[in-house]
């Protein structure tokens, strides 16, 4: 089964940078859909970024041009590089995988939205002003 373990969270001042890592196991397949979502206290879950085996990379408008998602180490480590951090980026960040993607030809990769998706335990990012 898919297992995801995040690391790299911490506290940083506004304008700073962090790089989150997610060790991916049990998901060695030619078709994959991986990504990050975040959840702040008393807020809705927000998809942050995703990457799939078709080469499609997507970002939330709130992080575009500041965050970078990448898959390295023979597709076993998912990264999220975060620059120009803002206090509103404060949240617990989760790595997610959609092992059933694609369900149909037009299925967008958006991991973390379905009960069948795998998620990690989360890593806290705190950005102070």
């Amino acid at each position: 089964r898919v297992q995801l373990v995040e690391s790299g969270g911490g506290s940083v001042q506004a304008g700073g940078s962090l790089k989150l890592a997610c060790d991916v196991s049990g998901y060695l397949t030619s078709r994959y859909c991986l990504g990050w979502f975040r959840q702040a206290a008393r807020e809705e879950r927000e998809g942050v970024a995703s990457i799939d085996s078709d080469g499609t990379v997507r970002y939330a408008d709130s992080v575009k041009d500041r965050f970078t998602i990448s898959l390295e180490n023979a597709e076993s480590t998912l990264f999220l590089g975060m620059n120009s951090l803002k206090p509103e980026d404060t949240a617990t960040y989760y790595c997610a995988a959609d092992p059933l993607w694609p369900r149909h030809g037009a299925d967008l990769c958006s991991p973390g939205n379905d009960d069948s998706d795998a998620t990690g335990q989360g890593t806290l990012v705190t950005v102070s002003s």
Side-chain angles (χ1 to χ4, degrees):
R1 66 185 178 93
V2 182
Q3 289 188 299
L4 307 168
V5 180
E6 304 98 335
S7 61
S11 297
V12 65
Q13 289 193 319
S17 300
L18 282 174
K19 189 171 185 177
L20 307 182
C22 174
D23 290 329
V24 182
S25 61
Y27 195 36
L28 295 178
T29 173
S30 59
R31 303 302 306 275
Y32 60 79
C33 165
L34 293 161
W36 294 89
F37 67 90
R38 65 187 181 185
Q39 189 157 22
R42 299 176 297 279
E43 297 286 337
E44 294 285 325
R45 176 181 297 191
E46 178 188 20
V48 174
S50 66
I51 184 169
D52 65 43
S53 52
D54 289 341
T56 300
V57 176
R58 299 167 64 211
Y59 295 97
D61 288 342
S62 58
V63 306
K64 203 170 292 183
D65 298 325
R66 298 189 299 122
F67 289 13
T68 302
I69 189 171
S70 61
L71 186 60
E72 301 174 19
N73 300 335
E75 302 175 0
S76 65
T77 307
L78 183 73
F79 293 99
L80 183 68
M82 305 184 294
N83 296 320
S84 302
L85 283 162
K86 306 175 182 179
E88 50 264 44
D89 293 319
T90 294
T92 298
Y93 285 71
Y94 298 86
C95 176
D98 182 354
L100 300 182
W101 180 89
R103 292 166 181 77
H104 51 77
D107 193 9
L108 294 177
C109 172
S110 183
N113 289 319
D114 294 315
D115 291 339
S116 59
D117 292 353
T119 60
Q121 81 287 353
T123 185
L124 179 63
V125 172
T126 303
V127 184
S128 58
S129 57

